[in-house]
Amino acid sequence: QVQLVESGGGFVQSGESLKLSCQGSGFYFSNYPLGWVRRPPGKGLEWVAALSNLGKVTRYADSVRGRFTISRDNDKNTVYLQMNNLKPEDTAQYYCVKLLHVNDPLGAPISQGTQVTVSS
């Protein structure tokens, strides 16, 4: 059974940083690209970042490029999202997702996610 468990969300001020973590289980973690998606309040799902299975290829949405960094530790079955210079528009429920291809980054969440709230 595939499981993904996110952590690290919280309430921060504009300009501050957070690092999200997501631990996976129930599948061969190092075989799959992974990504982060988010759902802002009252809006639809949007993709944020994606990373190939060995971490060599990354993709970022224009809205976060230069501020967010996705990484992974396959030995720990964990993917991370370092978020710097957070803005109020980054407020959302964040989910990590298992992907079939790094170029198709809008995966469907199967987990509860973690809430990030950025105050101005």
Side-chain angles (χ1 to χ4, degrees), residues 45-76:
L45 200 65
E46 56 187 49
W47 77 277
V48 175
L51 181 64
S52 59
N53 63 318
L54 297 181
K56 294 183 178 181
V57 178
T58 57
R59 293 194 64 200
Y60 294 97
D62 289 344
S63 58
V64 306
R65 187 175 291 112
R67 300 187 297 121
F68 290 12
T69 303
I70 188 171
S71 62
R72 65 193 292 166
D73 185 337
N74 286 342
D75 290 336
K76 296 182 179 179

Side-chain angles (χ1 to χ4, degrees), residues 25 33 35 43 46 60 68 75 96-97 100 102-103 108 111 119-120:
S25 61
K43 297 184 178 180
E46 56 187 49
Y60 294 97
F68 290 12
D75 290 336
C96 65
V97 290
L100 292 179
V102 71
N103 290 328
S111 50
S119 172
S120 58

Side-chain angles (χ1 to χ4, degrees), residues 21-96:
S21 300
C22 172
Q23 181 148 34
S25 61
F27 64 103
Y28 289 105
F29 191 85
S30 60
N31 281 5
Y32 289 90
L34 297 166
W36 289 91
V37 299
R38 66 187 182 187
R39 182 177 283 117
K43 297 184 178 180
L45 200 65
E46 56 187 49
W47 77 277
V48 175
L51 181 64
S52 59
N53 63 318
L54 297 181
K56 294 183 178 181
V57 178
T58 57
R59 293 194 64 200
Y60 294 97
D62 289 344
S63 58
V64 306
R65 187 175 291 112
R67 300 187 297 121
F68 290 12
T69 303
I70 188 171
S71 62
R72 65 193 292 166
D73 185 337
N74 286 342
D75 290 336
K76 296 182 179 179
N77 281 13
T78 302
V79 61
Y80 305 97
L81 187 67
Q82 176 68 47
M83 305 185 296
N84 297 331
N85 190 22
L86 282 160
K87 304 177 180 181
E89 52 264 43
D90 295 317
T91 295
Q93 189 79 2
Y94 283 73
Y95 305 88
C96 65

